[in-house]
């Protein structure tokens, strides 16, 4: 008999399986298969094609599920549209009660849902039980609160309508909750398509909706593959698409929704850095790494998959990490002592394997612990790759598996440079005992979420979402709710954008003429890097007033000019780092100078547009007021401290995008320009503005104000020319991080398509009344910033 002493020595784990009897029984009741959940009822599973859902840990078939067609999507959207009429009319309180009921029912069935999730996805029961499902309930509780509060907290907003939601397989029920809870709270109805690999908890949730008495049609679930998702994306009855998944499909969806007027939020991939400084608590950092990359088999969009470690401690950290890896337990997801379960599918397993092979080929040292592995099923050993070159495949692409790649750095600057050396920008984790250093690095990393001395923390009260090719939009928190609301004044006509009159097409007079020396005093040049610049083309065009008189000449800008402007903006990076007070002062200065030259600008508007003296004076006065307004707001677009977990404060910082493109409207050549430039500057962005092609001269006169108001060189560049073409060049430019297009003739469709490259957010649309109070305010500041959530350890 083994002595207690010996047992304590080895501390072998015995099997500790979670029972799945009631899941087997439930699946048995659905032996014939699952239909779609449409209008509060399950469709007949025997009708139409279906596919099999398997357990990746053992290959066992779990269920057959309907393969959604365009017809199924159509019926689901129709049901959601019918339900929207009454659901959106309910009081916030009534909707709150429904969300609260959903939360209660989820909690009552938490064990059932956790086991089902682990069987469907392969994730360890410890995680589905302790992380996924509690967070699911938390999201519904949190948003029950929002349902109650939206009316008072977000006045002047309304729901979008029917939301199409497409989710991946890595956190099936949690992603459902992140999508459905805010949508319903805001008064929308939804059609959700779960991932083909993991549809079962969504179907269980459909039953819960029925049980909890949710009105028919408010939630509809259509199962299926990519094509089913594409049908949902393309459906004209859908007002918003929310997608989580691969960057590749994100791009397809960006293009597919371009010009449709659909709201869009994309939560895509990542290659998030996990930065360890030499003063970090290394043992904590090792546990952090376990949670960063071996949580959920590394199938986490914000996984800390790129370890950046300060050179002097690298070997020490790797040694600790290898020792820890030796104690990880890979195996049965339903065993309560399993650390790493099964990867979701054989395709995913092969993908991970081939990427690791590629890393080896590219010269990385690959370490895998010698630990027991299940004989069958989709399992992959935890893997550490060191000696990885920053430009190698494994250091740049998302592996989406339990594979950590490591690189070293010497200085904090180098750490930041490496951290940002990626097309993604979802999350980052910073480990240091030095608070100054941690917060400094957190501020400089381009990512939507930064955890200090922690990793993979989530909460319904905090926004989650990416910078750059990790997508746009936030889920969770106050910032996430706006994704499901539209301002009362800005609701686009159903399915399409309000058309912009042809007014803004290239004026017929826009024939290029060479910039001749005798015309030089009448030719407004471009303004790039704080200086007037001749257009690269060497051509200008005549600006003709409605009465047919030539009001002046403007430069015909081209791609080279846009590139120069972006380059100049890139060098003016300290604008965003200037204090908000500084920016306010400069905006006041601009307003003051505009005021001093009001008569000149009025005369310009009159000669260029034929406006009456009164109208011209009104537009100039409104432009001065608007500049004052944003000067006043520059230091008041505050972030927030979200009430998340205890022992953390979560700082929601409003950060500028960096370089923004602004395409200005014709309706109000001066006020429109000011209405776009001032909020973006106030928020700390550098801008490249394309003035109205028809009436560019009020904007070009603005150079002189910029020159005399201490605006640093490169912070504002102005490129005149053919609007739609320049807009597209801005959309295509990788360094332009966000684009507002209120000027292209055909609406924002073409620039939305062109923006799919770096997935920049695009905002804009049809004609609006620029003099109205709706054309200024928080909406503009919100669109000029992205929220970075920084989780800082705090308190007891
Ligand atoms: P995916 O992006 O193809 O699938 C995600 C969801 O989109 C699924 O519901 C799928 O049916 C749907 N979908 C696919 N094509 C669509 C289309 N054309 N229109 C509308 N919906 C469509 O991701 P997949 O193929 O499962 O995984 C591939 C890689 O993507 C992974 O290896 C990983 O790197 C990344 N990924 C990232 C996720 C994240 O959370 N950021 C989640 C899942 C995958
Ligand atoms: Mg795919």
């Amino acid at each position: 008999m083994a002595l207690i002493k010996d047992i304590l020595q080895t501390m072998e784990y015995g099997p500790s399986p979670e029972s799945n009897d009631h899941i087997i029984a439930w699946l048995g009741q659905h032996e014939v298969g699952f239909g779609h959940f449409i209008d509060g009822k399950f469709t007949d599973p025997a009708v139409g094609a279906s596919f099999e859902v398997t357990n990746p840990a053992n290959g066992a078939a779990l269920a057959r599920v309907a393969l959604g067609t365009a017809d199924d999507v159509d019926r689901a959207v129709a049901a959601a549209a019918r339900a929207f009429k009454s659901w959106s009319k309910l009081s916030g309180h009534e909707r709150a009660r429904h969300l609260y009921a959903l939360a209660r029912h989820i909690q009552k069935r938490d064990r059932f849902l956790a086991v089902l999730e682990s069987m469907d996805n392969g994730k360890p029961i410890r995680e589905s039980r302790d992380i996924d499902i509690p967070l699911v309930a938390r999201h519904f509780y949190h948003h029950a609160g929002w349902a109650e509060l939206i009316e008072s907290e977000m006045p002047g907003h309304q729901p979008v309508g029917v939301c199409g939601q497409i989710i991946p397989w890595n956190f099936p029920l949690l992603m459902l909750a992140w999508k459905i809870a805010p949508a319903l709270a805001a008064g929308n109805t939804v059609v959700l398509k779960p991932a083909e690999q993991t549809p079962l908890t969504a179907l269980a949730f459909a039953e819960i909706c029925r049980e909890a008495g949710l009105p028919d049609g408010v939630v509809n679930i259509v199962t299926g593959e990519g094509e089913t998702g594409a049908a949902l994306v393309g459906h004209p009855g859908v007002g918003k698409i929310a997608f989580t998944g691969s960057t590749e499909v994100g791009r397809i969806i960006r293009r597919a929704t371009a010009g449709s007027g659909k709201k869009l939020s994309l939560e895509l991939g990542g290659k998030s850095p996990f930065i360890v400084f030499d003063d970090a608590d290394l043992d904590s950092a090792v546990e952090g790494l376990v949670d960063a990359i071996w949580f959920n088999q590394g199938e986490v969009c914000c996984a800390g998959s790129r370890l950046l470690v300060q050179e002097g401690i690298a070997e020490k950290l790797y040694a600790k990490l290898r020792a820890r890896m030796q104690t990880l337990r890979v195996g049965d997801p339903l065993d309560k002592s399993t650390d790493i379960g099964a990867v979701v599918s054989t395709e995913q397993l092969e993908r991970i394997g081939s990427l690791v092979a590629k890393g080896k080929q590219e010269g990385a040292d690959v370490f895998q612990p010698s630990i027991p592995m299940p004989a069958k099923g989709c399992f992959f050993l935890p893997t550490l790759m060191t000696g990885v070159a920053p430009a190698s495949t494994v250091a740049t692409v998302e592996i989406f598996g339990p594979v950590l790649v490591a690189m070293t750095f010497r200085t904090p600057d180098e750490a930041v440079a490496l951290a940002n050396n990626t097309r993604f920008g979802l999350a980052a984790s910073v480990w240091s005992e030095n608070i100054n250093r941690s917060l400094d690095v957190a501020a400089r990393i381009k990512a939507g979420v930064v955890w200090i001395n922690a990793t993979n923390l989530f909460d319904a009260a905090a926004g989650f979402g990416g910078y750059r090719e990790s997508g746009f939009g936030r889920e969770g928190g106050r910032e996430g709710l706006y994704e499901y609301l539209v301002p009362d004044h800005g609701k686009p006509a159903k399915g399409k954008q309000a058309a912009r009159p042809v007014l803004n097409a290239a004026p017929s007079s826009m024939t290029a003429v060479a910039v001749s020396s005798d015309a030089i005093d009448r030719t407004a040049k471009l303004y790039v890097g704080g200086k007037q610049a001749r257009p690269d083309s060497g051509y200008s065009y005549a600006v003709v007033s409605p009465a047919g008189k030539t009001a002046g000449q403007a430069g015909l800008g081209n791609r080279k000019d846009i590139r120069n402007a972006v380059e100049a903006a890139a060098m003016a990076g300290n604008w965003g780092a200037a204090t908000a007070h500084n920016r306010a002062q400069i905006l006041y200065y601009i307003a003051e100078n505009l005021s001093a030259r009001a008569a000149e600008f009025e005369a310009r508007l009159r000669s260029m547009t034929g406006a009456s003296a009164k109208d011209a004076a009104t537009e100039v006065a409104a432009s001065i007021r608007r500049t004052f307004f944003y000067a006043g707001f520059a230091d008041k677009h505050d972030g927030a401290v979200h009430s998340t977990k205890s022992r953390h404060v979560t700082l929601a910082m409003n950060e500028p995008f960096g370089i923004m493109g602004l395409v200005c409207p014709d309706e109000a050549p001066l006020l429109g320009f000011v209405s776009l430039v001032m909020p973006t500057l106030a928020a700390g962005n550098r801008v490249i503005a394309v003035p109205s092609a028809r009436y560019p001269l009020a904007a070009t006169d603005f150079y002189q104000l910029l020159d005399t108001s201490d605006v640093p060189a490169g912070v504002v560049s102005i490129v005149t020319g053919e609007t739609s073409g320049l807009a597209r060049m801005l959309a295509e430019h990788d360094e332009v991080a966000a684009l507002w297009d209120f000027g292209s003739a055909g609406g924002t469709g073409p620039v939305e398509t062109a923006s799919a490259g770096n997935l920049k957010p695009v905002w804009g649309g049809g004609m609006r009344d620029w003099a109205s109070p709706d054309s200024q305010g928080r909406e503009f500041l919100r669109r000029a910033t992205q929220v970075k959530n920084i989780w800082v350890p705090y308190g007891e």
Side-chain angles (χ1 to χ4, degrees), residues 684-737:
N685 296 284
R686 293 147 275 157
V687 305
I688 291 121
V690 174
S692 152
R694 176 157 290 230
Y695 303 131
L697 301 176
T700 53
D701 290 344
F702 219 85
Y703 305 164
Q704 291 146 30
L705 300 186
L706 298 170
D707 276 342
T708 50
S709 308
D710 292 347
V711 178
V715 169
V716 180
S717 289
I718 302 178
V719 180
T720 50
E722 199 272 308
T723 313
S724 305
L726 293 172
R728 206 177 46 247
M729 291 165 203
L730 285 169
E732 284 164 356
H733 202 300
D734 264 2
E735 299 296 311
V736 175

Side-chain angles (χ1 to χ4, degrees), residues 628-674:
F628 259 86
F629 176 86
Y630 287 112
F633 228 136
D635 60 358
K636 294 169 195 69
H637 181 43
D638 294 337
V641 177
H642 286 315
S643 305
T644 51
K645 292 189 171 26
S646 56
R647 298 184 55 80
H648 281 89
V649 288
T650 306
L651 307 174
M653 309 287 293
N654 292 321
E655 290 201 341
F657 281 101
I659 302 176
M660 287 183 65
L662 306 175
V663 183
C664 306
D666 291 330
E667 298 96 88
L670 179 64
L671 181 58
F673 173 85
V674 164

Side-chain angles (χ1 to χ4, degrees), residues 436-661:
N436 298 336
R437 175 183 277 176
S438 309
L439 290 176
D440 177 52
V441 169
R444 291 159 68 197
I445 290 180
K446 295 196 172 82
V449 186
V450 181
W451 296 289
I452 310 264
N453 291 335
T455 187
N456 278 340
L457 298 174
F458 310 100
D459 190 80
F464 182 89
Y467 282 32
R468 308 203 275 190
E469 290 177 32
S470 291
F472 48 79
R474 294 291 178 268
E475 296 189 298
R478 186 182 287 264
E479 56 265 39
L481 267 185
Y482 285 110
E483 302 292 332
Y484 289 97
L485 293 166
V486 278
D488 291 339
H489 63 84
K491 185 144 181 158
K494 199 160 181 235
K496 62 167 192 273
Q497 206 164 55
R500 174 168 289 283
V502 204
L503 183 69
N504 218 21
S508 54
S509 62
M510 207 167 189
T511 356
V513 291
V515 180
S516 69
S517 54
D518 60 318
I520 207 82
D521 57 327
R522 297 178 61 223
T523 300
K525 294 197 206 152
L526 313 182
Y527 187 70
V528 174
K531 287 201 264 307
Q532 301 199 31
R534 279 171 72 93
D536 171 69
S537 66
Y539 289 103
S540 65
Y541 68 98
V543 178
V544 182
S545 77
K549 290 233 297 272
T550 300
Q553 307 266 331
L556 264 181
N558 65 15
R559 192 179 294 275
K560 181 77 186 345
D561 298 310
I562 293 284
R563 265 196 236 134
N564 291 342
V566 173
E567 220 167 87
M571 289 192 303
N574 46 9
W575 175 250
T579 65
H581 172 76
N582 278 159
R583 294 198 298 270
Q585 292 304 107
I586 288 175
L587 262 58
Y588 280 126
Y589 203 0
I590 296 175
E592 214 176 278
N593 283 325
L594 179 55
S595 190
R597 300 170 77 152
E600 236 173 89
F601 276 87
E602 286 166 22
R604 176 64 96 185
L605 287 175
R606 293 186 63 189
S607 76
M608 187 172 60
T609 66
S612 70
K614 183 162 164 280
D615 287 352
T618 306
E619 183 170 345
V620 174
S623 302
I624 297 167
R625 264 205 316 280
R626 191 142 292 168
T627 307
F628 259 86
F629 176 86
Y630 287 112
F633 228 136
D635 60 358
K636 294 169 195 69
H637 181 43
D638 294 337
V641 177
H642 286 315
S643 305
T644 51
K645 292 189 171 26
S646 56
R647 298 184 55 80
H648 281 89
V649 288
T650 306
L651 307 174
M653 309 287 293
N654 292 321
E655 290 201 341
F657 281 101
I659 302 176
M660 287 183 65

Side-chain angles (χ1 to χ4, degrees), residues 165-171 175 193-198 224-234 241 243-250 252-253 256 267-270 299-302 344-345 347-348 351-352 355 397-401 424 426 464 470:
Q165 307 183 313
I166 299 168
I167 57 172
W169 40 259
N170 52 346
F171 294 90
M175 290 301 104
K193 192 202 82 69
E196 52 271 43
Q197 295 84 351
T198 56
E225 299 178 344
E227 272 184 43
T228 318
L232 184 55
V233 168
I241 293 291
F243 172 77
T244 300
S246 63
T247 295
E248 180 200 349
V249 174
I252 295 172
I253 293 178
E267 202 267 272
L268 311 173
E299 297 166 323
V300 183
C301 49
C302 53
V344 75
S345 65
E347 290 85 38
Q348 203 58 25
R351 191 183 134 83
I352 299 166
L355 279 166
V397 309
E398 184 175 44
I399 299 178
F400 229 63
F424 299 112
L426 194 49
F464 182 89
S470 291

Side-chain angles (χ1 to χ4, degrees), residues 92-340:
H93 176 68
E94 286 168 298
R95 282 202 299 272
R97 282 172 168 270
H98 280 296
L99 282 154
Y100 186 79
L102 288 173
R104 298 280 297 175
H105 277 77
I106 287 162
Q107 254 181 341
K108 272 195 261 177
R109 295 179 58 169
D110 59 354
R111 193 51 62 96
F112 175 89
L113 292 167
V115 178
L116 179 61
E117 195 77 303
S118 282
M119 290 171 70
D120 200 8
N121 163 280
K123 64 174 72 204
I125 184 71
R126 196 166 53 79
E127 293 175 3
S128 52
R129 181 195 64 199
D130 297 347
I131 297 171
D132 293 53
I133 307 305
L135 270 174
V136 169
R138 162 94 182 115
H139 264 264
F140 280 97
Y141 280 126
H142 180 79
H143 285 93
W146 275 124
E148 191 94 44
L149 300 177
I150 279 178
E151 249 171 70
S152 58
E153 288 295 302
M154 283 144 184
H157 287 84
Q158 51 180 297
V160 187
V162 177
C163 298
Q165 307 183 313
I166 299 168
I167 57 172
W169 40 259
N170 52 346
F171 294 90
L173 194 63
L174 184 57
M175 290 301 104
L176 173 149
W178 282 24
K179 298 261 178 307
I180 290 186
L184 299 197
N188 303 279
T189 56
V190 306
V191 177
L192 177 131
K193 192 202 82 69
E196 52 271 43
Q197 295 84 351
T198 56
L200 298 180
T201 44
L203 295 166
F205 177 78
E207 290 190 351
I208 288 177
C209 290
R210 250 193 347 202
E211 241 173 61
L214 192 72
D216 292 349
V218 171
V219 167
N220 303 276
I221 312 269
V222 177
T223 50
E225 299 178 344
E227 272 184 43
T228 318
L232 184 55
V233 168
H235 199 292
V238 170
K240 168 181 169 103
I241 293 291
F243 172 77
T244 300
S246 63
T247 295
E248 180 200 349
V249 174
R251 282 208 174 86
I252 295 172
I253 293 178
R254 167 69 289 182
R255 293 196 186 99
T257 54
S260 66
K262 284 176 191 153
K263 264 183 91 111
L264 178 63
S265 54
L266 298 174
E267 202 267 272
L268 311 173
K271 189 76 182 177
S272 299
F274 186 107
I275 308 171
V276 185
F277 285 100
D278 57 10
D279 62 355
D281 170 349
L282 293 192
D283 293 311
S284 300
V286 166
E287 287 316 305
L289 279 164
V290 171
D291 288 337
I293 189 66
W294 294 306
F295 168 56
N296 209 42
Q297 298 73 244
E299 297 166 323
V300 183
C301 49
C302 53
S305 53
R306 263 193 311 145
L307 169 60
L308 308 178
V309 50
Q310 201 154 14
E311 205 173 70
I313 52 153
E315 285 312 320
K316 192 167 162 198
L317 183 70
Y318 296 160
K320 280 178 184 282
L321 190 55
R322 290 188 189 108
R324 179 66 176 89
M325 288 167 78
Q326 204 59 53
T327 67
L328 290 170
R329 296 170 59 81
V330 181
D332 180 5
L334 289 187
D335 191 311
K336 287 171 222 149
S337 51
T338 289
D339 297 313
I340 301 178

Side-chain angles (χ1 to χ4, degrees), residues 331-397:
D332 180 5
L334 289 187
D335 191 311
K336 287 171 222 149
S337 51
T338 289
D339 297 313
I340 301 178
V343 164
V344 75
S345 65
T346 45
E347 290 85 38
Q348 203 58 25
L349 188 67
E350 279 160 20
R351 191 183 134 83
I352 299 166
S354 71
L355 279 166
V356 170
K358 175 96 186 177
K360 214 180 266 182
Q361 237 175 54
E362 289 178 342
D365 290 322
V366 178
F367 171 80
Q368 292 177 324
S370 41
I371 52 178
M373 283 284 280
K376 59 172 195 159
C378 300
F379 293 92
F380 199 88
L381 275 167
T383 304
L384 168 67
M385 292 204 230
T386 50
V388 170
S392 64
T393 309
V394 287
T396 51
V397 309

